[in-house]
Amino acid sequence: MKSSEIRQKFLEFFESKGHKVLPSASLIPKDDPTLLWINAGMAPFKAYFDGSATPPKRRVSNSQKCIRTNDIENVGKTARHHTFFEMLGNFSFGDYFKEDTIKWAYEFLVKELELDRDKLWISIYEEDDEAFDIWYNQVGVDKEKIVRMGKDENFWEIGTGPCGPCSEIHYDRGVDYGCGDDCKLGCDCDRYLEIWNLVFTQYNKTEDGEYLDLPNKNIDTGSGLERLVSLLQDAPTNFETDLFMPMINFITNNCDANYGDSDEADMAIKVIADHIRGVSFAISDGALPSNEGRGYVVRRILRRAVRYAKVLGLETPFLHKLVPVVVDVMGGYYGSLKDKEGQIKKIVRQEELRFQETLEQGMNILEDIIAELKEKGLAEIPGDKVFALYDTYGFPKELTEEIALERGFEIDSKGFVQSMDEQRKRARAAREDYDKDHSEVELFKEIRKEVGNVEFIGYQERKAEAKVVSLVKEGEKVEVIKSGEKGKVVLDKTPFYAEGGGQIGDKGVLSKGNLKVRILDTKEVAEVIVHQVEVLEGELVEGLEVEAIIDEVLRRDITRNHTATHLLHKVLKDLLGDHINQAGSLVTSERLRFDFSHFEALSKKELEKIEDKVNSKVLENLVLSIKEMTLDEAKALGATALFGEKYGEGVRVVAAGDYSIELCGGTHVQRTGEIGLFKIVNESGIAAGTRRIEGVTGRGALDYIKEQEGIIDELGNSLRANPKELKGKVEGLQGKIKDLEKEINRLKDKLASSQSGDLLSEAKDLNGVQAIIHSVDSLDADGLRKMGDNLKERLDSGIIVLASILKEKVIFVAIVSDDLVKEGYHAGKIIGQVAKVAGGGGGGRPNMAQAGGTKVDKVEDALRKAEELISFN
C-alpha cells in the first residue's frame, strides 16, 4: 500500500466517524510563542484544548506536518529519526473519549490496514483499569498482550494543567528485528514498533500536585505516517519506503556509492534524503534560511546535508536537484509544495553556493590559525578557535579535527565544549527573557477566561465609551494604575486596532474627568486586545467607564499605507509573475514595507513601472469593499490569502474595485484616491530569494518629494544652476574628472617608471634569487601594481615585494617571475605572511598578489619577513 493511500485511508476513515478533516497547519506556529516549529499533531490545536478558542467541530482529524531537530545527530543513524515527519491524528474536544478512541484505532488498523491482530501489543498506564477493560473485554485483545507501564512511559503531562494516561499500540515485527529471543515490549530495539499513541486528557494537575477530573475530557492521538508505511511496505527502516526511496535512488544515481555498500555512505544518503524533505517543506511554509530563529534551523539542516553530500563526492550545488523529487513524492497531497517548487529550488541552490563560499572562507582561516601555531611551536588548536570556526562560519568541528590531524595538530576538545557551554548559557539567559513574555501570555489567557471577548468596533468607530475590565502592571494584575505609571489595560470594547497582519497598533487617549491616559500601543495577547498605557493625570481604576479615542490622523496615514500594500502586491504579481508571494510586511503611519519572493534585484525601469501602475489605481479612485464570508466563498472570488496564515471558516475580504482582492483583518481607506500618491523610496534584498520594497503615501509622499526638492535646490546652489541645467552641469563635471584621472594615471606611470630605475639598482641576491624589496611613499594600490609591473619588465627573473603607506594603512604588492613560480615561489603565500606582520592579510595568484595591513610601524618588519621567506624557500 502506497504512503499516499495510507494517509488518505486514515482521513477518510475518521471522516466516516463524524470528524472534520482539516488540512495540515503551517510548520510555522500561529499565535504560539512557546514553539519554534509545529512539532506534534496536537500543536496547532492547543487553543482548542485549553478552551481559549472554539474549534470548527468538536471532533477533527488531520495529517500534520512536523519538524523536530532536538536530536538531529541521530538522523541517519537510527531507523526512525527524522527532522520532518507527518503525524496522523484524530482529536476530540470534549466529545468522545476512551471507548470510541480505542475501538476506532483497533478497527482502522485491523480492518482498514489489515494488520495481523495477533501481532498487536498494547501498553497502558498501570492504574488505568478503564483502558484495560476496553482493550480486553470490548476489543478482545489477549490479557498477555496488554502491558501496564508506569508514569514515565504511559502518562502524558507537562508541569501543571491538563494531563492524563495514554495507551500505545505496538506491532511485533518478529525476532529478526529484536535484540534477542527474550526481547520484551519496552525494549529499545526495533522488534516492538510503536505505531499509535492515544492520549486521554482527563485530569487537571494543580500546583499542589493533585489530579482533578476535567469537566470536559479530550482526546489527542498521533500515529507517525512514516512508521505505518514502513510496516505496511515491510521495510526494515522508514528509509526503505516510497517516502524516501525516490530521493535515495536519485542520490545514488548521481554518485559512486550504492545504498547498502557501507554504513558511512548509507548514513550520508539517509541524512540527505531526510534533510531535503525538511528544508523543502520549511521553505514552502515561509521559513527562509537566515542566521536566527527558524531560518537558522533551516540553514543548519541544509548545511548538514551539504556536508554529507561532500562525503559522497557530490559537488556543490547538488541538493536543489532533489527538490523536484520531493515534490513528486509529496506534492500530490501538499499542493503548496508543488506551487512553490521553483522558488524552493532556487533558494536551496543559492544557499548551497553561499555555504560553499563559507567553507572556503573557513578553510582560509584554519590555514592561518595553523600557520600561526607553527610559528609559535604549538601543536594544539585552541577550543575557542575551533568553536568560532563552527559557530561563525558553519565549519564542522569534525572537519577541523580531520584537517588538524593531517597537519600533525590536535584540537582542544575540552575548550570547544567549554565554549559551547558558554553559548548555551547565553541561550538559556535569552530563554529566561522569552519565558517572561510567555508568562504574560498565560496571564492574559486567565484574564480572557474572566472577562470574555473584547469587542473590537474600530472598523466603524473612532471613539467609544468603554469599561476598564482588567489592569496589569509589571506582569501582575492590579486594581489601579497611578499618575506617572505605565501598564496594560483591557476594555470591554475598543476602537483601537491591535497590531496584526503587518499593521501597527493604534495610539490615542483614554479620558474621564480629570483622568488623562496616553495609549502608547495596542497589541493582541492570547486573543485579548491589550492597550499599553501611560497615565498622565489622575488614576486608572478597574471598573471605571472611560472615553476611548484613537489618534485619527495617525490612523488615516496607516490606512493609506495598508491599502497601498494591497495594490503593490497585485501590481507585483501582474508585472513580475505569479511566483510573487508576500513574505512579510510592515504598515506604519510613516511608511510601508513589503517583502516578497523574487530572485533578482528590480531594475530602475521595473520600479518605475510598478510605481506608475500603483498610482494609476490610486487615480482610478477604486471603491474599497469589505465583506465577511466563508473561506470557500473567498477562494471562489479569487481572493489572495497570505501563505502560512491560518484562517477560520469566516474571513474578511478586502477588495479594491475588482482589481485587488485579499483576505485581511486590517484597516483601509474607503477609496484608493485617499492614498494621494505612492512613491517607492527603496528596493533591496533581505534574504535568499526575498526582496523588499519600501514606500510612502499621502503626507509621507509629500514630505519625501519636499526632501528631494530640497536636495535638488542645494545642488543647484552649489553648481550655480537651475534644476533644468543640473544634468548638463553634472555631465560637464564628470568629463573634467575623467580628464583629470587620465592625467593622474599618466603622472603615476611616469613616477613609477622614474622610481623603478632607482629601485632596480637596489636588487638583492637572496639564495640565488634577484629580489627587490622596498617601501615607497604614498602610492595607492593601482600605482604600486604599476610600479611592480614596470620593475618586472626590466627584471628578467626575480621577485618584487613593495609596500606603501597611505592614509594610515599599508598596501603590499608581490610579483614573482614565471620561471620562479615553476620553482615553487608563490606570490600569494609570500604576501599573506608579510601582511600578517603588519596586522593584515591577503593573498592572490602565484605570480601576483596584493594585501593590506593596519600597523604602519611594522612595515620594515614585514619587509624583513619577505626577505626571510625568499631566502629560505
Side-chain angles (χ1 to χ4, degrees), residues 771-775 784 791 799-803 812-816 830-831 834 862-863 866-867 870:
I772 297 173
I773 301 171
H774 212 283
S775 174
L784 208 59
L791 285 167
I799 297 175
I800 300 145
V801 179
L802 302 175
F812 294 100
V813 166
I815 295 174
V816 178
I830 292 171
I831 209 71
V834 168
L863 293 177
E867 286 191 23
I870 296 167

PDB file of all heavy atoms in Angstrom, residues 771-775 784 791 799-803 812-816 830-831 834 862-863 866-867 870:
ATOM      1  N   ALA A 771      65.961  39.915  -5.921  1.00  0.00           N
ATOM      2  CA  ALA A 771      64.774  40.400  -5.209  1.00  0.00           C
ATOM      3  C   ALA A 771      64.849  41.899  -4.999  1.00  0.00           C
ATOM      4  O   ALA A 771      65.885  42.430  -4.590  1.00  0.00           O
ATOM      5  CB  ALA A 771      64.642  39.694  -3.863  1.00  0.00           C
ATOM      6  N   ILE A 772      63.710  42.544  -5.280  1.00  0.00           N
ATOM      7  CA  ILE A 772      63.579  43.983  -4.983  1.00  0.00           C
ATOM      8  C   ILE A 772      62.531  44.093  -3.887  1.00  0.00           C
ATOM      9  O   ILE A 772      61.344  43.799  -4.094  1.00  0.00           O
ATOM     10  CB  ILE A 772      63.155  44.770  -6.232  1.00  0.00           C
ATOM     11  CG1 ILE A 772      64.227  44.662  -7.314  1.00  0.00           C
ATOM     12  CG2 ILE A 772      62.871  46.217  -5.873  1.00  0.00           C
ATOM     13  CD1 ILE A 772      63.825  45.268  -8.644  1.00  0.00           C
ATOM     14  N   ILE A 773      62.953  44.484  -2.701  1.00  0.00           N
ATOM     15  CA  ILE A 773      62.060  44.586  -1.541  1.00  0.00           C
ATOM     16  C   ILE A 773      62.214  45.996  -1.005  1.00  0.00           C
ATOM     17  O   ILE A 773      63.284  46.380  -0.517  1.00  0.00           O
ATOM     18  CB  ILE A 773      62.431  43.537  -0.470  1.00  0.00           C
ATOM     19  CG1 ILE A 773      62.332  42.123  -1.080  1.00  0.00           C
ATOM     20  CG2 ILE A 773      61.520  43.659   0.738  1.00  0.00           C
ATOM     21  CD1 ILE A 773      62.876  41.026  -0.184  1.00  0.00           C
ATOM     22  N   HIS A 774      61.104  46.790  -1.114  1.00  0.00           N
ATOM     23  CA  HIS A 774      61.269  48.207  -0.809  1.00  0.00           C
ATOM     24  C   HIS A 774      59.944  48.833  -0.402  1.00  0.00           C
ATOM     25  O   HIS A 774      58.859  48.380  -0.777  1.00  0.00           O
ATOM     26  CB  HIS A 774      61.812  48.941  -2.048  1.00  0.00           C
ATOM     27  CG  HIS A 774      62.699  50.093  -1.702  1.00  0.00           C
ATOM     28  ND1 HIS A 774      62.210  51.301  -1.267  1.00  0.00           N
ATOM     29  CD2 HIS A 774      64.068  50.225  -1.726  1.00  0.00           C
ATOM     30  CE1 HIS A 774      63.221  52.129  -1.047  1.00  0.00           C
ATOM     31  NE2 HIS A 774      64.364  51.500  -1.309  1.00  0.00           N
ATOM     32  N   SER A 775      60.049  49.925   0.368  1.00  0.00           N
ATOM     33  CA  SER A 775      58.896  50.746   0.737  1.00  0.00           C
ATOM     34  C   SER A 775      58.960  52.041  -0.059  1.00  0.00           C
ATOM     35  O   SER A 775      60.025  52.655  -0.158  1.00  0.00           O
ATOM     36  CB  SER A 775      58.929  51.052   2.238  1.00  0.00           C
ATOM     37  OG  SER A 775      57.899  51.957   2.570  1.00  0.00           O
ATOM     38  N   LEU A 784      51.046  51.187  -7.027  1.00  0.00           N
ATOM     39  CA  LEU A 784      52.011  50.191  -6.567  1.00  0.00           C
ATOM     40  C   LEU A 784      52.088  49.010  -7.545  1.00  0.00           C
ATOM     41  O   LEU A 784      53.176  48.495  -7.839  1.00  0.00           O
ATOM     42  CB  LEU A 784      51.600  49.710  -5.171  1.00  0.00           C
ATOM     43  CG  LEU A 784      52.718  49.224  -4.231  1.00  0.00           C
ATOM     44  CD1 LEU A 784      53.746  50.325  -4.002  1.00  0.00           C
ATOM     45  CD2 LEU A 784      52.133  48.767  -2.903  1.00  0.00           C
ATOM     46  N   LEU A 791      58.856  47.155 -12.941  1.00  0.00           N
ATOM     47  CA  LEU A 791      60.085  46.503 -12.487  1.00  0.00           C
ATOM     48  C   LEU A 791      60.210  45.097 -13.068  1.00  0.00           C
ATOM     49  O   LEU A 791      61.310  44.652 -13.447  1.00  0.00           O
ATOM     50  CB  LEU A 791      60.093  46.426 -10.954  1.00  0.00           C
ATOM     51  CG  LEU A 791      60.390  47.739 -10.228  1.00  0.00           C
ATOM     52  CD1 LEU A 791      60.051  47.622  -8.746  1.00  0.00           C
ATOM     53  CD2 LEU A 791      61.865  48.127 -10.400  1.00  0.00           C
ATOM     54  N   ILE A 799      61.902  38.422  -7.857  1.00  0.00           N
ATOM     55  CA  ILE A 799      60.724  38.600  -7.009  1.00  0.00           C
ATOM     56  C   ILE A 799      60.703  40.033  -6.517  1.00  0.00           C
ATOM     57  O   ILE A 799      61.730  40.566  -6.073  1.00  0.00           O
ATOM     58  CB  ILE A 799      60.742  37.634  -5.802  1.00  0.00           C
ATOM     59  CG1 ILE A 799      60.680  36.178  -6.283  1.00  0.00           C
ATOM     60  CG2 ILE A 799      59.561  37.925  -4.868  1.00  0.00           C
ATOM     61  CD1 ILE A 799      60.820  35.155  -5.171  1.00  0.00           C
ATOM     62  N   ILE A 800      59.513  40.678  -6.613  1.00  0.00           N
ATOM     63  CA  ILE A 800      59.367  42.067  -6.200  1.00  0.00           C
ATOM     64  C   ILE A 800      58.349  42.120  -5.066  1.00  0.00           C
ATOM     65  O   ILE A 800      57.227  41.595  -5.207  1.00  0.00           O
ATOM     66  CB  ILE A 800      58.880  42.932  -7.380  1.00  0.00           C
ATOM     67  CG1 ILE A 800      59.893  42.862  -8.533  1.00  0.00           C
ATOM     68  CG2 ILE A 800      58.634  44.356  -6.941  1.00  0.00           C
ATOM     69  CD1 ILE A 800      59.266  42.910  -9.892  1.00  0.00           C
ATOM     70  N   VAL A 801      58.692  42.733  -3.946  1.00  0.00           N
ATOM     71  CA  VAL A 801      57.760  42.969  -2.832  1.00  0.00           C
ATOM     72  C   VAL A 801      57.826  44.441  -2.491  1.00  0.00           C
ATOM     73  O   VAL A 801      58.886  44.950  -2.082  1.00  0.00           O
ATOM     74  CB  VAL A 801      58.096  42.108  -1.594  1.00  0.00           C
ATOM     75  CG1 VAL A 801      57.100  42.417  -0.475  1.00  0.00           C
ATOM     76  CG2 VAL A 801      58.079  40.630  -1.940  1.00  0.00           C
ATOM     77  N   LEU A 802      56.708  45.150  -2.679  1.00  0.00           N
ATOM     78  CA  LEU A 802      56.658  46.589  -2.443  1.00  0.00           C
ATOM     79  C   LEU A 802      55.623  46.913  -1.372  1.00  0.00           C
ATOM     80  O   LEU A 802      54.600  46.226  -1.240  1.00  0.00           O
ATOM     81  CB  LEU A 802      56.293  47.325  -3.734  1.00  0.00           C
ATOM     82  CG  LEU A 802      57.218  47.112  -4.942  1.00  0.00           C
ATOM     83  CD1 LEU A 802      56.653  47.812  -6.165  1.00  0.00           C
ATOM     84  CD2 LEU A 802      58.631  47.629  -4.638  1.00  0.00           C
ATOM     85  N   ALA A 803      55.899  47.978  -0.624  1.00  0.00           N
ATOM     86  CA  ALA A 803      54.963  48.446   0.403  1.00  0.00           C
ATOM     87  C   ALA A 803      54.792  49.946   0.260  1.00  0.00           C
ATOM     88  O   ALA A 803      55.725  50.665  -0.122  1.00  0.00           O
ATOM     89  CB  ALA A 803      55.473  48.101   1.792  1.00  0.00           C
ATOM     90  N   PHE A 812      50.512  46.259   0.307  1.00  0.00           N
ATOM     91  CA  PHE A 812      51.625  45.422  -0.136  1.00  0.00           C
ATOM     92  C   PHE A 812      51.313  44.844  -1.512  1.00  0.00           C
ATOM     93  O   PHE A 812      50.167  44.489  -1.800  1.00  0.00           O
ATOM     94  CB  PHE A 812      51.862  44.246   0.826  1.00  0.00           C
ATOM     95  CG  PHE A 812      52.324  44.647   2.194  1.00  0.00           C
ATOM     96  CD1 PHE A 812      51.420  44.696   3.258  1.00  0.00           C
ATOM     97  CD2 PHE A 812      53.648  44.960   2.450  1.00  0.00           C
ATOM     98  CE1 PHE A 812      51.827  45.047   4.530  1.00  0.00           C
ATOM     99  CE2 PHE A 812      54.074  45.318   3.711  1.00  0.00           C
ATOM    100  CZ  PHE A 812      53.166  45.370   4.759  1.00  0.00           C
ATOM    101  N   VAL A 813      52.338  44.693  -2.328  1.00  0.00           N
ATOM    102  CA  VAL A 813      52.213  44.012  -3.619  1.00  0.00           C
ATOM    103  C   VAL A 813      53.418  43.074  -3.760  1.00  0.00           C
ATOM    104  O   VAL A 813      54.545  43.445  -3.415  1.00  0.00           O
ATOM    105  CB  VAL A 813      52.183  45.008  -4.798  1.00  0.00           C
ATOM    106  CG1 VAL A 813      52.410  44.295  -6.124  1.00  0.00           C
ATOM    107  CG2 VAL A 813      50.863  45.740  -4.841  1.00  0.00           C
ATOM    108  N   ALA A 814      53.136  41.855  -4.245  1.00  0.00           N
ATOM    109  CA  ALA A 814      54.219  40.904  -4.513  1.00  0.00           C
ATOM    110  C   ALA A 814      54.078  40.387  -5.942  1.00  0.00           C
ATOM    111  O   ALA A 814      52.974  40.068  -6.381  1.00  0.00           O
ATOM    112  CB  ALA A 814      54.170  39.746  -3.528  1.00  0.00           C
ATOM    113  N   ILE A 815      55.196  40.317  -6.670  1.00  0.00           N
ATOM    114  CA  ILE A 815      55.196  39.818  -8.041  1.00  0.00           C
ATOM    115  C   ILE A 815      56.350  38.829  -8.180  1.00  0.00           C
ATOM    116  O   ILE A 815      57.479  39.104  -7.732  1.00  0.00           O
ATOM    117  CB  ILE A 815      55.359  40.972  -9.057  1.00  0.00           C
ATOM    118  CG1 ILE A 815      54.120  41.890  -8.979  1.00  0.00           C
ATOM    119  CG2 ILE A 815      55.531  40.432 -10.471  1.00  0.00           C
ATOM    120  CD1 ILE A 815      54.237  43.143  -9.824  1.00  0.00           C
ATOM    121  N   VAL A 816      56.074  37.657  -8.784  1.00  0.00           N
ATOM    122  CA  VAL A 816      57.081  36.608  -8.972  1.00  0.00           C
ATOM    123  C   VAL A 816      57.171  36.303 -10.469  1.00  0.00           C
ATOM    124  O   VAL A 816      56.142  36.078 -11.124  1.00  0.00           O
ATOM    125  CB  VAL A 816      56.705  35.327  -8.188  1.00  0.00           C
ATOM    126  CG1 VAL A 816      57.741  34.231  -8.436  1.00  0.00           C
ATOM    127  CG2 VAL A 816      56.579  35.621  -6.693  1.00  0.00           C
ATOM    128  N   ILE A 830      53.545  34.369  -0.092  1.00  0.00           N
ATOM    129  CA  ILE A 830      54.524  35.333   0.449  1.00  0.00           C
ATOM    130  C   ILE A 830      53.802  36.542   1.033  1.00  0.00           C
ATOM    131  O   ILE A 830      54.045  36.949   2.174  1.00  0.00           O
ATOM    132  CB  ILE A 830      55.511  35.771  -0.661  1.00  0.00           C
ATOM    133  CG1 ILE A 830      56.410  34.602  -1.066  1.00  0.00           C
ATOM    134  CG2 ILE A 830      56.354  36.963  -0.194  1.00  0.00           C
ATOM    135  CD1 ILE A 830      57.256  34.872  -2.298  1.00  0.00           C
ATOM    136  N   ILE A 831      52.883  37.112   0.246  1.00  0.00           N
ATOM    137  CA  ILE A 831      52.234  38.359   0.664  1.00  0.00           C
ATOM    138  C   ILE A 831      51.334  38.151   1.873  1.00  0.00           C
ATOM    139  O   ILE A 831      51.184  39.034   2.725  1.00  0.00           O
ATOM    140  CB  ILE A 831      51.450  38.992  -0.511  1.00  0.00           C
ATOM    141  CG1 ILE A 831      51.382  40.526  -0.355  1.00  0.00           C
ATOM    142  CG2 ILE A 831      50.059  38.428  -0.615  1.00  0.00           C
ATOM    143  CD1 ILE A 831      52.690  41.200  -0.590  1.00  0.00           C
ATOM    144  N   VAL A 834      53.623  38.197   4.874  1.00  0.00           N
ATOM    145  CA  VAL A 834      54.202  39.541   5.020  1.00  0.00           C
ATOM    146  C   VAL A 834      53.172  40.487   5.641  1.00  0.00           C
ATOM    147  O   VAL A 834      53.466  41.240   6.583  1.00  0.00           O
ATOM    148  CB  VAL A 834      54.680  40.072   3.648  1.00  0.00           C
ATOM    149  CG1 VAL A 834      54.999  41.556   3.721  1.00  0.00           C
ATOM    150  CG2 VAL A 834      55.893  39.279   3.176  1.00  0.00           C
ATOM    151  N   ALA A 862      57.788  43.792   8.289  1.00  0.00           N
ATOM    152  CA  ALA A 862      57.101  42.998   7.273  1.00  0.00           C
ATOM    153  C   ALA A 862      58.002  42.738   6.076  1.00  0.00           C
ATOM    154  O   ALA A 862      58.037  41.620   5.529  1.00  0.00           O
ATOM    155  CB  ALA A 862      55.819  43.713   6.841  1.00  0.00           C
ATOM    156  N   LEU A 863      58.735  43.757   5.660  1.00  0.00           N
ATOM    157  CA  LEU A 863      59.615  43.584   4.501  1.00  0.00           C
ATOM    158  C   LEU A 863      60.792  42.656   4.839  1.00  0.00           C
ATOM    159  O   LEU A 863      61.271  41.909   3.978  1.00  0.00           O
ATOM    160  CB  LEU A 863      60.121  44.943   4.012  1.00  0.00           C
ATOM    161  CG  LEU A 863      59.026  45.867   3.421  1.00  0.00           C
ATOM    162  CD1 LEU A 863      59.616  47.211   3.024  1.00  0.00           C
ATOM    163  CD2 LEU A 863      58.335  45.213   2.233  1.00  0.00           C
ATOM    164  N   ALA A 866      59.642  39.294   4.288  1.00  0.00           N
ATOM    165  CA  ALA A 866      59.677  38.928   2.865  1.00  0.00           C
ATOM    166  C   ALA A 866      61.066  38.400   2.503  1.00  0.00           C
ATOM    167  O   ALA A 866      61.205  37.377   1.797  1.00  0.00           O
ATOM    168  CB  ALA A 866      59.322  40.138   2.003  1.00  0.00           C
ATOM    169  N   GLU A 867      62.117  39.077   2.983  1.00  0.00           N
ATOM    170  CA  GLU A 867      63.492  38.615   2.710  1.00  0.00           C
ATOM    171  C   GLU A 867      63.705  37.208   3.262  1.00  0.00           C
ATOM    172  O   GLU A 867      64.284  36.348   2.608  1.00  0.00           O
ATOM    173  CB  GLU A 867      64.499  39.586   3.341  1.00  0.00           C
ATOM    174  CG  GLU A 867      64.640  40.903   2.618  1.00  0.00           C
ATOM    175  CD  GLU A 867      65.837  41.712   3.119  1.00  0.00           C
ATOM    176  OE1 GLU A 867      66.770  41.086   3.681  1.00  0.00           O
ATOM    177  OE2 GLU A 867      65.833  42.933   2.955  1.00  0.00           O
ATOM    178  N   ILE A 870      61.899  34.519   1.138  1.00  0.00           N
ATOM    179  CA  ILE A 870      62.540  34.257  -0.151  1.00  0.00           C
ATOM    180  C   ILE A 870      63.869  33.522   0.071  1.00  0.00           C
ATOM    181  O   ILE A 870      64.219  32.585  -0.662  1.00  0.00           O
ATOM    182  CB  ILE A 870      62.770  35.576  -0.920  1.00  0.00           C
ATOM    183  CG1 ILE A 870      61.410  36.221  -1.261  1.00  0.00           C
ATOM    184  CG2 ILE A 870      63.576  35.338  -2.190  1.00  0.00           C
ATOM    185  CD1 ILE A 870      61.501  37.661  -1.734  1.00  0.00           C
TER     186      ILE A 870
END
